């Protein structure tokens, strides 16, 4: 995105002038600011509500520098690749650390210490996985074990392209592993059966929702708790039921500004202010209303009835670091591919 002159259009080739203008945007009083937030597939509604509130706050404080926020949504891994291929996003709000880390590892667009620049390892909110079943819960689904039965068909995004899908895979694996800590062969067999029960692997969370709701596929949709609650609100709470299993994974939602892009776009101040707004009481309240668990304990206490009790484990506790997880499970030739090939035999 670019900083746009209010009265005069910049010629497309004047990149040097554009950068200079960006650096002086907040002092000149003659420029509007445009930010692009690259986000995960199912974050549309959340940011459609967050963005106008931040715009109001910014524009009140900077009446001569009107701010406009733009959004880009897809599976978080696809979004990260788009930035590596040239998408000039100013900030990223993803659902997995690795999809931000790749911006450093493969593009040198952000520094290695990006997680130390904002509170809570740059994760202003978090979620966990939930099951969405149809009215009356006809298959009596309650636990991860229920998902490996022969009579159950599942819908969740492809772990290769979606952070949502990776968290689903790891939540199931972690729950099975806690039940069978000394029997890795049984854990692997349970995961094989779970993957064999997947009716369709969509590329992102929104596609999986379409398959389950509009196409009527599957008995269980697995997605973030926040998304499952939002689906029920949109399509009728009496038509669907939410189940949060007793053992589950902590899914943090990391954010950062993209240093190289905000420097080119002249949007660093606005990008930092936007992400800090996500940590503010006002931002945390909006996030909690969209059924995400937040780090502000006062907000969580006020909204506690939204969030069923569950025992959350951290990925690092059972799998090691994200790079280890990606290499073991999700990279080419990893355990996910091995299980999928085995399941086709």
């Amino acid at each position: 995105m670019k900083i746009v002159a209010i009265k005069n259009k910049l010629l497309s080739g004047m990149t040097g002038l554009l950068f200079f203008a960006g650096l002086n945007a907040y002092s000149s009083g003659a420029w509007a600011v445009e930010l692009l937030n690259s986000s995960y597939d199912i974050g549309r509604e959340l940011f459609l509500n967050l963005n106008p509130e931040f715009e109001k706050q910014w524009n009140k404080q900077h009446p001569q520098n009107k701010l406009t926020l733009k959004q880009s949504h897809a599976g978080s891994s696809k979004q990260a690749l788009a930035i590596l291929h040239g998408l000039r996003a100013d900030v990223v709000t993803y659902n997995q650390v690795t999809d931000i880390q790749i911006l450093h590892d493969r593009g040198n667009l952000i520094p290695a210490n990006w997680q130390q620049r904002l509170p809570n390892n740059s994760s202003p909110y978090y979620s966990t996985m939930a099951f969405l079943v149809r009215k009356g819960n006809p298959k009596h689904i309650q636990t991860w074990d229920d998902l490996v039965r022969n009579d159950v068909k599942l819908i969740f995004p492809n772990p290769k392209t979606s952070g949502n899908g990776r968290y689903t895979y790891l939540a199931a694996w972690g729950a099975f592993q806690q039940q069978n800590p000394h029997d890795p062969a049984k854990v692997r067999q349970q995961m094989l059966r779970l993957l064999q029960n997947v009716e369709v692997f969509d590329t992102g969370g929104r596609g999986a929702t379409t398959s389950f709701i509009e196409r009527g596929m599957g008995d269980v949709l697995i997605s973030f708790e926040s998304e499952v609650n939002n689906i029920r609100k949109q399509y009728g709470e009496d038509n669907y039921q939410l189940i949060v299993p007793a053992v589950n994974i902590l899914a943090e939602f990391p954010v950062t500004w993209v240093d190289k892009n905000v420097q080119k776009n002249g949007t660093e101040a606005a990008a930092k202010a936007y992400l800090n707004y996500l940590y503010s009481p006002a931002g945390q309240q909006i996030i909690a209303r969209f059924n995400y668990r937040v780090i502000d304990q006062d907000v969580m206490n006020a909204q506690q009835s939204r969030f069923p009790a569950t025992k959350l484990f951290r990925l690092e506790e059972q799998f090691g670091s994200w790079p280890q997880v990606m290499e073991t499970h999700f990279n080419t030739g990893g355990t996910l591919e091995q299980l999928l090939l085995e399941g086709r035999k």
Side-chain angles (χ1 to χ4, degrees), residues 161-190:
T161 57
S162 167
N164 186 330
R166 282 191 281 275
Y167 271 119
T168 294
Y169 172 101
L170 294 169
W173 192 296
F176 296 147
Q177 191 165 270
Q178 287 192 21
Q179 291 177 342
N180 305 281
H182 306 297
D183 194 349
K186 184 173 182 179
V187 173
R188 187 182 178 96
Q189 185 63 26
Q190 286 176 298

Side-chain angles (χ1 to χ4, degrees), residues 4-5 33 60 69 93 100 125 164 181 222 253 265 304 309 311:
V4 185
V33 185
K60 183 177 180 180
L69 272 158
T93 56
I100 295 185
Y125 56 100
N164 186 330
I222 313 173
F253 285 63
N265 299 340
Q304 195 60 54
K311 181 182 177 183

Side-chain angles (χ1 to χ4, degrees), residues 65-324:
N65 305 126
K66 185 178 179 182
L67 173 72
T68 302
L69 272 158
K70 303 289 187 180
Q71 290 294 129
S72 176
H73 293 278
S76 58
S77 296
K78 280 191 168 186
Q79 289 289 79
L81 288 175
I83 293 175
L84 291 174
H85 292 153
L87 180 69
R88 290 268 288 270
D90 302 279
V91 299
V92 294
T93 56
Y94 289 161
N95 54 24
Q96 189 178 305
V97 168
T98 54
D99 290 328
I100 295 185
Q101 184 63 35
I102 197 173
L103 301 181
H104 167 73
D105 295 343
R106 288 179 53 181
N108 198 29
L109 297 173
I110 60 175
N113 70 339
W114 65 269
Q115 282 188 280
Q116 279 70 62
R117 302 191 299 187
L118 290 168
N120 195 44
N121 292 322
S122 286
S123 295
Y125 56 100
Y126 62 101
S127 191
T128 191
M129 309 317 296
F131 309 153
L132 183 69
V133 298
R134 295 186 172 87
K135 183 177 181 179
N137 193 6
K139 295 294 179 75
H140 307 290
I141 304 297
Q142 294 295 333
T143 70
W144 292 103
D145 285 333
D146 293 328
L147 304 187
V148 304
R149 296 188 338 229
N150 292 332
D151 65 328
V152 174
K153 294 298 181 185
L154 309 176
I155 304 291
F156 63 89
N158 190 334
K160 281 282 190 179
T161 57
S162 167
N164 186 330
R166 282 191 281 275
Y167 271 119
T168 294
Y169 172 101
L170 294 169
W173 192 296
F176 296 147
Q177 191 165 270
Q178 287 192 21
Q179 291 177 342
N180 305 281
H182 306 297
D183 194 349
K186 184 173 182 179
V187 173
R188 187 182 178 96
Q189 185 63 26
Q190 286 176 298
M191 287 301 300
L192 173 62
R193 291 165 60 189
L194 182 139
L195 291 170
Q196 287 176 319
N197 283 350
V198 177
E199 190 166 1
V200 62
F201 268 142
D202 290 289
T203 58
R206 190 48 51 88
T209 298
T210 298
S211 293
F212 184 76
I213 299 291
E214 298 181 12
R215 299 172 65 192
M217 301 177 70
D219 302 301
V220 185
L221 171 67
I222 313 173
S223 190
F224 290 119
E225 176 187 43
S226 50
E227 173 71 355
V228 169
N229 275 302
N230 293 336
I231 292 168
R232 291 184 68 225
K233 182 178 180 180
Q234 181 177 354
Y235 291 96
E237 294 184 356
D238 293 337
N239 297 323
Y240 300 94
Q241 184 175 333
L242 173 143
I243 295 110
V244 177
V247 176
N248 221 328
I249 195 167
L250 172 66
E252 294 181 305
F253 285 63
V255 303
T256 194
W257 60 89
V258 183
D259 296 69
K260 291 289 181 68
N261 286 352
V262 298
Q263 291 164 12
K264 291 177 182 177
N265 299 340
T267 53
E268 184 172 353
K272 291 179 178 179
Y274 177 56
L275 294 182
N276 275 287
Y277 176 75
L278 302 183
Y279 289 88
S280 70
Q284 294 271 288
Q285 288 169 10
I286 294 172
I287 294 167
R289 288 204 299 271
F290 278 81
N291 302 298
Y292 292 93
R293 301 176 185 230
V294 296
I295 64 173
D296 187 313
Q297 197 56 53
D298 290 337
V299 174
M300 276 299 289
N301 290 340
Q303 301 284 344
Q304 195 60 54
S305 61
R306 292 178 179 269
F307 306 109
T310 182
K311 181 182 177 183
L312 298 178
F313 63 84
R314 299 188 70 89
L315 174 139
E316 293 82 1
E317 295 169 355
Q318 294 198 216
F319 299 100
S321 67
W322 266 115
Q324 290 174 302

